[in-house]
Amino acid sequence: MATNFNNRFSIFLVFAIISLSWGCEDVIELDLKDAEPRLVIAAGLDVGLQTLDVQLSRSTPFYSLDSSSLVSDAQIELRSPTKTYTVAEIETGRYQATQIEAVSNDSFTLVIRVSDKSYEAKATVPTAAPLIDLEQIELSDLPFRDPSAVRLTALIEDDPTTKNYYRIQLFQSGENISEGFTVFDDVFAPIDTDFSVPIRETFMPKDTVQVRLLSTNKAYYDYFYQLALVTDPRSNDITPFNPQGNFDNNALGYFGIYHASILEKIIE
Amino acid sequence: MKKIICWAFLLCLQVAWSQTYNISGYIREATTGEELLYASVVVENTTQGISSNEYGYYAFSLPPGDYKLTFSYVGYHSQTISLTLTGDQSLNVDLVALSTQLEEIVVSIENEQNVVTNTEMSVLSLSTQEMKAIPVLFGEQDVLKTIQLLPGVSGSSEGSSGFFVRGGDGDQNLILLDEAPVYNPAHFLGFFSVFNADAIQNVKMYKGGIPAQYGGRASSVMDVRMKNGNMKQWQANGGLGLISSKLTVEGPLKTDKASIIISGRRTYADILAAPFLKDFDDFGLYFYDLNAKANYILNDKNRLFASLYFGKDVLSTGDFGLDWGNETFTLRWNHVFTPKLFSNTALIYSRYNYGFAINNSGLNVALTGGIYDFTLKQEYRWYRNPDSEIRFGWQAIFHRFLPSNIQFNEAEQNSSQEQNALEGGLYIAHDLALSSAVKLNYGLRLSSFHNRGPYVYRQYDAIDNIIEETAYTDNDWFNRYFILEPRMAMTYLLDSSHSVKLSYNRNAQYLHLLSNSVSGSPTDIWLPSGPAIQPTLADQLAVGYFAVLNDQAYQWSVEVYYKDLQNTVEYEDGAEAFGNKDIESQIVFGSGRAYGVEFLFEKTQGDLTGWLSYTWSRSQRLFDAINQGEWFSARQDRPHDLALVGMYQLSERVFLSTNWVYTTGDAVTFTTGKYFVERELVNIYSERNADRMPDYHRLDIGVRWLLRSKRMNQSELNFSLYNAYNRRNAYSIRFDTNTQGQSQATRLSLFGVVPSISWNFSF
């Protein structure tokens, strides 16, 4: 499972103890070194939609007020075993290609050229696993929790003959409300029944929630697993590191291929 | 002709040696009969002096004649005994404590007579007196926190009992409780240690010059000895504190023949919090531990000891639970074959395990794991002659590493395989006085490690895919390591008050603690060496200058050391530790170096006692897979580490103590930039541990107030202020965004000023 329970409960414990003592947080100013900006690539191929979306930006200094510095005028190609697609810039820093034909186990190569430098990543089309149902479960009482909150469990039709990797995203009114990144593999999937995965976010009655399950490949999973580790606000106990994406040439980010399966639920 | 003279001379020497007689016995505390470990015996008007061993036994031989022997121990009246030696003599000596009153408390990090003359260096020795004199967090006396005030030992984090020794890693410290290894010495995630000061008699730590009888860890040995129990009379002592209470009962089962001690401790944060958490069933937040020991003197030559430790931490609500704990059991048999040959045979069991479970709203996760040890060891000490003592022995440890077993709803997965291994040690060491000025201790330890099936050895490619598997069955011994570990220490006595010492030791470590968090977790995994994981090797060289001044009222020392580490183990960046059955694919190997200068100045007598400890040191690591293969600072690389400890007798019944500590901030990795993935801030890091946390400093103040009581032997109140000037020391710094979306660095401080009060009693 992607969520790092080891750290979670050690941090939970630390916080429990802190709450019983005199712990406090305050914002401090640090004189940080600024590294050279690096290209950040977010590229995802949705097999069902036959669409590749790419966003290019550059990293910024930590205290910079710019959330991102988008990169225009890149030349982007997507190569399948049989065809090469040109990815066009549809708005500043955002690129897209449509009508991409992809079947399981096809290998794609994404090539991006920016300012005479070339960046390349490979990814393989994963096996699709549909999201079958969303079950609502009442939460039992825990300290500091709203008693009317509920949790959802996603039921997945996992293929036991292959090793599968997943990511879950949550949306409300079209807005991504996921807390961090939730990725997991099928190591705990039962062989003879559907794979039941609890969703960590909680919801209130009358909420309308859209759950998007991405069946993805290992490289995508690895990258988002590492992102989950370093971005979890409770995981500041982890030795810092840079998540390793699948692009070469010191680019940050990833190129992932996934099947998306979406269900909507109105919380009762 | 020269040959004949030479032969004759040697013959005379032989005859002279054969005409010596043995003096041997135990050095004990007069009122309790408790053996005094490492007490000093000096033959007046000679250069001869020895120490009692770790069981209070001493032995040496002298030619026939009249002698005055002086027996001494820190905090006790010395005793001089005149005797005429005409044959072997058994001499048990009872030393009388200076007083039980506060004003007589004597604090010394090592028995001052020995610090200059013996061959040991890089050794820290603490008695419970030192521990009880120093103010600590929540007023809970703690050996692991006290020892962090000494040079070369640094704490892992604020308020923590975890420690690093001379730049080594946290898992490189062998912690022994009555010879049984303790795998996790922390309660409450490190805020308390498992060692109950009321049950502890003596603590000795070897930072370097580690003698041959110890093995299995690369950086240090901490040898904690429990009290044996009062042989003379029943007594009880205990304490009530804000966080915990404790009670110890000890007494003779048969006067001067057998005794028992039982000591228990429990925290009650959960009980205090219960009124505020009425709606939550089964809320638990506590730890408890129990120490028990019995011993029986069968006769002059045989003695049996059985000691037990059991401790557990619990954090639970109705549907969430985490617990972890250690158990140790030691059965020992001391046998005196002849006055010159002492042996100890021990059968030891040690266990550390943990469990974690959530059963809430569709999320059912359980995690268990641990390690078991079964040890058999024998040791002999042969007191050959006044200038020569040989120590030899063997030990065999059978390790069983339970996998980190995870159950998720109905499914089950092991993070690592169950593994078994046999660790062996065979050693001999010779303590030899080459002349009145030069003493040498040299030895050799042959350690071994054999892995045993069932086990599936997997080899991985660069992206962690399995490329080959080899399965071993129950009876397969499939991997072997044999390592020779030379040990050497030498003392050159400049005069009776000054000496220069030199030591070298090689230590092999076959067990590795994998942790993917900075501060460690109870669920961190111990893994054995095997085909894929080489043993960690440490070579350490140290040189020191030692002095006692002004009739031993002051002592000071300076030591320089260099430590080389090979095959250190870490998780790779972003390792997937949870539920990963191929955990060995997530490990990277490297090397390390640590070096530094340690300075210690002590004042051991008078109304004002204490010490000043300063260490300048560096600790660095080199991993191909980390920091682009360049050297980087270990987290515990803190160049400056200063501790000032003072204890002052204000009046007959009031005793003040204080300590001030200053260390360079931890080596950490700060962000050098940022980017966003789907609204989430992702920080960019450059060099590993190239930045520093803010420097750490803190002042603690304690007051011990002896109360008048007719019904009790002693009753005292302890007040303490931890972090008296409320310094906000950073426990961690987080880089995130605020509600306005601006990037910010947030400092977490664990403790401001923490007052505490406790009442201790004995009757």
Side-chain angles (χ1 to χ4, degrees):
Chain A
M1 293 291 291
T3 45
N4 191 316
F5 283 91
N6 270 7
N7 289 296
R8 287 252 174 109
F9 63 72
S10 78
I11 290 154
F12 177 86
L13 272 177
V14 167
F15 276 88
I17 290 162
I18 291 165
S19 65
L20 293 171
S21 61
W22 282 259
C24 79
E25 288 191 338
D26 59 343
V27 174
I28 57 172
E29 281 292 321
L30 290 171
D31 184 18
L32 299 173
K33 299 166 202 151
D34 290 330
E36 285 292 309
R38 291 167 67 182
L39 184 67
V40 182
I41 303 167
L45 169 58
D46 187 323
V47 176
L49 292 176
Q50 296 184 298
T51 302
L52 170 71
D53 283 298
V54 180
Q55 179 175 295
L56 300 182
S57 60
R58 289 198 188 276
S59 63
T60 58
F62 180 74
Y63 284 120
S64 166
L65 295 176
D66 296 333
S67 60
S68 65
S69 164
L70 296 169
V71 175
S72 290
D73 303 327
Q75 285 85 52
I76 305 179
E77 281 181 2
L78 178 69
R79 297 171 188 161
S80 77
T82 57
K83 195 173 175 183
T84 297
Y85 302 89
T86 301
V87 187
E89 185 167 12
I90 56 171
E91 59 184 78
T92 304
R94 283 199 62 209
Y95 303 79
Q96 195 175 69
T98 55
Q99 295 183 321
I100 296 166
E101 295 162 9
V103 295
S104 287
N105 297 320
D106 272 1
S107 182
F108 283 82
T109 303
L110 185 65
V111 181
I112 298 172
R113 289 186 195 86
V114 177
S115 307
D116 298 330
K117 276 184 94 172
S118 181
Y119 306 87
E120 197 171 303
K122 288 186 169 61
T124 307
V125 180
T127 307
L131 184 58
I132 301 167
D133 197 8
L134 297 171
E135 291 181 353
Q136 182 175 323
I137 297 170
E138 302 300 320
L139 288 171
S140 54
D141 286 347
L142 275 179
F144 320 115
R145 178 182 283 169
D146 189 328
S148 57
V150 297
R151 170 171 284 153
L152 292 177
T153 294
L155 283 179
I156 302 166
E157 190 178 311
D158 179 76
D159 179 355
T161 62
T162 60
K163 177 83 175 168
N164 302 306
Y165 302 91
Y166 302 102
R167 179 179 176 206
I168 279 182
Q169 292 177 300
L170 304 174
F171 296 86
Q172 274 186 318
S173 306
E175 187 186 349
N176 188 342
I177 57 157
S178 309
E179 295 172 11
F181 305 100
T182 302
V183 288
F184 52 95
D185 58 18
D186 62 356
V187 72
F188 292 109
I191 293 171
D192 48 355
T193 58
D194 294 326
F195 185 17
S196 171
V197 178
I199 294 170
R200 65 175 169 179
E201 287 85 349
T202 57
F203 308 98
M204 304 303 290
K206 297 182 183 174
D207 282 351
T208 300
V209 186
Q210 204 175 51
V211 177
R212 186 175 185 231
L213 175 76
L214 307 182
S215 311
T216 185
N217 51 24
K218 188 170 188 310
Y220 183 95
Y221 165 85
D222 284 343
Y223 181 71
F224 277 88
Y225 176 84
Q226 294 181 26
L227 275 182
L229 283 180
V230 297
T231 58
D232 190 327
R234 293 160 289 192
S235 66
N236 58 347
D237 200 33
I238 287 174
T239 304
F241 65 95
N242 294 317
Q244 294 299 306
N246 49 357
F247 277 97
D248 60 6
N249 231 346
N250 205 29
L252 299 163
Y254 66 96
F255 166 42
I257 303 177
Y258 51 81
H259 296 270
S261 176
I262 300 170
L263 285 180
E264 191 170 272
K265 176 88 176 175
I266 300 171
I267 306 298
E268 296 164 2
Chain B
M1 187 61 186
K2 279 181 184 173
K3 275 187 181 175
I4 294 169
I5 293 170
C6 189
W7 275 97
F9 176 71
L10 288 173
L11 190 62
C12 289
L13 274 181
Q14 185 68 34
V15 171
W17 285 128
S18 67
Q19 284 183 341
T20 61
Y21 294 113
N22 302 311
I23 304 169
S24 62
Y26 290 88
I27 304 173
R28 296 183 173 125
E29 209 278 337
T31 54
T32 64
E34 186 91 30
E35 278 69 26
L36 295 174
L37 318 186
Y38 318 114
S40 172
V41 189
V42 173
V43 185
E44 287 196 1
N45 301 321
T46 73
T47 59
Q48 290 185 16
I50 60 161
S51 296
S52 60
N53 68 14
E54 53 274 37
Y55 308 97
Y57 182 81
Y58 75 96
F60 60 101
S61 52
L62 291 167
D66 295 325
Y67 295 99
K68 280 186 178 177
L69 306 181
T70 299
F71 297 82
S72 60
Y73 190 73
V74 173
Y76 288 78
H77 290 288
S78 294
Q79 192 177 144
T80 300
I81 296 175
S82 301
L83 57 85
T84 301
L85 196 60
T86 56
D88 287 351
Q89 188 158 349
S90 175
L91 183 62
N92 294 331
V93 177
D94 292 342
L95 296 184
V96 178
L98 290 171
S99 170
T100 57
Q101 301 299 305
L102 291 175
E103 66 272 20
E104 267 82 26
I105 283 179
V106 176
V107 171
S108 172
I109 292 163
E110 195 172 6
N111 207 348
E112 59 265 27
Q113 283 94 337
N114 295 336
V115 70
V116 166
T117 57
N118 68 17
T119 52
E120 287 182 340
M121 66 180 297
S122 311
V123 170
L124 304 170
S125 188
L126 282 176
S127 71
T128 50
Q129 280 189 330
E130 285 96 45
M131 286 179 248
K132 291 184 175 180
I134 292 168
V136 290
L137 182 63
F138 300 131
E140 183 71 24
Q141 284 98 18
D142 198 314
V143 56
L144 294 185
K145 287 176 191 155
T146 305
I147 214 149
Q148 291 171 19
L149 298 170
L150 296 169
V153 186
S154 54
S156 62
S157 57
E158 167 91 65
S160 169
S161 53
F163 61 97
F164 305 108
V165 178
R166 287 187 168 173
D169 295 327
D171 68 339
Q172 293 175 354
N173 308 313
L174 177 63
I175 300 172
L176 300 171
L177 178 61
D178 269 1
E179 304 185 49
V182 176
Y183 281 94
N184 184 351
H187 281 308
F188 253 47
L189 287 172
F191 295 127
F192 300 91
S193 86
V194 299
F195 302 113
N196 176 355
D198 283 355
I200 301 302
Q201 190 199 15
N202 189 279
V203 178
K204 194 167 187 177
M205 172 180 271
Y206 297 89
K207 302 179 291 179
I210 297 171
Q213 68 265 28
Y214 296 110
R217 297 293 186 279
S219 280
S220 79
V221 176
M222 184 176 208
D223 193 348
V224 181
R225 301 279 167 161
M226 282 167 57
K227 287 179 180 172
N228 291 332
N230 196 319
M231 282 279 197
K232 309 281 187 188
Q233 59 184 350
W234 283 94
Q235 71 174 74
N237 60 73
L240 289 172
L242 293 177
I243 294 285
S244 68
S245 288
K246 55 193 175 180
L247 180 67
T248 301
V249 178
E250 59 183 307
L253 296 171
K254 191 175 178 184
T255 303
D256 290 331
K257 288 288 264 186
S259 65
I260 189 168
I261 178 171
I262 299 173
S263 184
R265 182 171 60 149
R266 190 194 192 277
T267 56
Y268 31 70
D270 55 333
I271 296 170
L272 297 175
F276 308 103
L277 297 166
K278 284 178 187 168
D279 297 336
F280 305 107
D281 297 331
D282 304 324
F283 177 72
L285 176 63
Y286 60 91
F287 73 76
Y288 61 87
D289 49 27
L290 178 76
N291 293 74
K293 187 171 183 180
N295 75 100
Y296 183 56
I297 300 173
L298 299 169
N299 53 43
D300 285 347
K301 294 190 171 181
N302 294 285
R303 185 170 184 178
L304 287 176
F305 302 80
S307 52
L308 170 81
Y309 168 81
F310 178 80
K312 198 163 195 176
D313 282 70
V314 174
L315 171 62
S316 65
T317 63
D319 44 20
F320 167 87
L322 167 66
D323 61 64
W324 72 93
N326 297 277
E327 291 171 21
T328 70
F329 176 74
T330 307
L331 184 64
R332 280 185 294 182
W333 169 43
N334 283 180
H335 178 64
V336 181
F337 285 93
T338 73
K340 287 186 174 182
L341 186 61
F342 179 93
S343 82
N344 175 56
T345 304
L347 184 65
I348 298 162
Y349 165 76
S350 175
R351 184 179 85 156
Y352 171 69
N353 63 353
Y354 57 82
F356 166 66
I358 294 178
N359 185 2
N360 179 269
S361 314
L363 178 64
N364 300 312
V365 179
L367 170 72
T368 57
I371 179 170
Y372 290 76
D373 274 5
F374 303 89
T375 305
L376 183 62
K377 61 187 279 192
Q378 260 195 320
E379 180 178 82
Y380 297 87
R381 295 184 75 156
W382 178 23
Y383 303 93
R384 282 181 68 216
N385 60 49
D387 296 327
S388 172
E389 178 190 329
I390 292 176
R391 185 170 190 153
F392 57 98
W394 61 271
Q395 68 182 79
I397 309 170
F398 185 77
H399 300 287
R400 170 158 289 177
F401 302 84
L402 298 183
S404 186
N405 180 283
I406 298 157
Q407 290 181 322
F408 181 78
N409 292 340
E410 302 302 317
E412 191 171 317
Q413 175 72 43
N414 289 338
S415 262
S416 54
Q417 300 177 59
E418 176 170 326
Q419 296 196 55
N420 302 290
L422 181 67
E423 183 176 356
L426 187 65
Y427 61 88
I428 184 165
H430 188 192
D431 209 15
L432 176 68
L434 290 172
S435 70
S436 59
V438 181
K439 290 182 179 176
L440 184 65
N441 183 299
Y442 60 97
L444 190 65
R445 181 181 180 89
L446 173 65
S447 63
S448 64
F449 199 77
H450 291 196
N451 297 85
R452 187 174 193 273
Y455 180 70
V456 179
Y457 169 45
R458 300 190 181 99
Q459 291 171 278
Y460 306 91
D461 64 14
I463 53 170
D464 302 337
N465 295 313
I466 298 169
I467 53 174
E468 193 175 335
E469 281 190 344
T470 311
Y472 297 98
T473 62
D474 262 352
N475 299 316
D476 288 339
W477 293 91
F478 60 89
N479 182 67
R480 294 173 179 79
Y481 292 106
F482 289 96
I483 296 175
L484 276 176
E485 304 173 32
R487 315 284 173 90
M488 190 281 290
M490 191 174 79
T491 298
Y492 178 67
L493 217 56
L494 300 170
D495 58 41
S496 62
S497 302
H498 301 80
S499 65
V500 176
K501 299 187 182 187
L502 171 74
S503 72
Y504 164 78
N505 60 273
R506 161 167 279 210
N507 285 59
Q509 177 166 340
Y510 300 97
L511 275 56
H512 314 274
L513 183 65
L514 296 178
S515 177
N516 63 352
S517 66
V518 170
S519 58
S521 155
T523 58
D524 291 343
I525 298 171
W526 283 95
L527 274 187
S529 291
I533 304 177
Q534 301 279 315
T536 300
L537 291 178
D539 291 275
Q540 186 180 174
L541 184 67
V543 182
Y545 181 84
F546 296 79
V548 290
L549 306 169
N550 199 17
D551 198 23
Q552 300 175 349
Y554 302 93
Q555 53 182 280
W556 67 275
S557 63
V558 58
E559 293 191 42
V560 182
Y561 68 89
Y562 182 88
K563 185 193 291 183
D564 178 73
L565 292 164
Q566 299 171 49
N567 305 326
T568 58
V569 176
E570 277 202 21
Y571 273 128
E572 64 184 16
D573 281 346
E576 186 174 349
F578 190 80
N580 189 342
K581 66 184 175 59
D582 297 312
I583 197 78
E584 290 173 357
S585 70
Q586 308 286 298
I587 297 169
V588 292
F589 305 93
S591 56
R593 62 188 179 199
Y595 48 91
V597 183
E598 297 167 357
F599 176 80
L600 178 66
F601 176 82
E602 282 184 87
K603 183 175 184 296
T604 61
Q605 297 172 17
D607 286 342
L608 177 67
T609 58
W611 67 81
L612 171 69
S613 153
Y614 171 72
T615 304
W616 177 87
S617 65
R618 300 305 309 266
S619 178
Q620 295 165 317
R621 299 290 181 271
L622 182 68
F623 285 76
D624 287 341
I626 298 174
N627 204 43
Q628 292 153 349
E630 300 288 327
W631 283 98
F632 62 92
S633 294
R635 180 184 153 242
Q636 63 270 29
D637 178 54
R638 299 167 186 152
H640 301 285
D641 189 337
L642 178 76
L644 182 60
V645 178
M647 286 151 276
Y648 181 67
Q649 178 59 54
L650 190 66
S651 71
E652 274 189 5
R653 296 184 174 275
V654 180
F655 182 79
L656 305 178
S657 60
T658 183
N659 55 264
W660 183 74
V661 294
Y662 168 87
T663 64
T664 311
D666 283 5
V668 290
T669 311
F670 285 159
T671 180
T672 56
K674 68 180 177 187
Y675 63 102
F676 288 82
V677 175
E678 299 172 9
R679 300 179 300 127
E680 292 288 337
L681 169 72
V682 184
N683 291 305
I684 299 172
Y685 302 98
S686 297
E687 266 186 271
R688 169 74 72 95
N689 292 349
D691 302 285
R692 290 276 166 195
M693 295 286 270
D695 289 351
Y696 180 100
H697 54 90
R698 191 190 78 235
L699 176 73
D700 306 330
I701 297 170
V703 179
R704 297 177 71 189
W705 179 21
L706 192 69
L707 305 174
R708 295 178 195 280
S709 171
K710 290 180 181 173
R711 282 181 289 182
M712 295 189 182
N713 287 343
Q714 189 165 328
S715 170
E716 66 178 48
L717 281 175
N718 281 341
F719 304 92
S720 71
L721 273 183
Y722 178 87
N723 193 9
Y725 55 76
N726 197 29
R727 160 85 173 172
R728 291 289 173 184
N729 287 301
Y731 178 79
S732 66
I733 293 176
R734 191 175 70 245
F735 297 94
D736 55 10
T737 51
N738 61 19
T739 51
Q740 287 81 45
Q742 293 167 328
S743 304
Q744 64 182 21
T746 306
R747 171 178 60 188
L748 170 65
S749 309
L750 281 193
F751 301 108
V753 57
V754 183
S756 61
I757 182 171
S758 62
W759 172 58
N760 295 322
F761 58 87
S762 68
F763 56 84

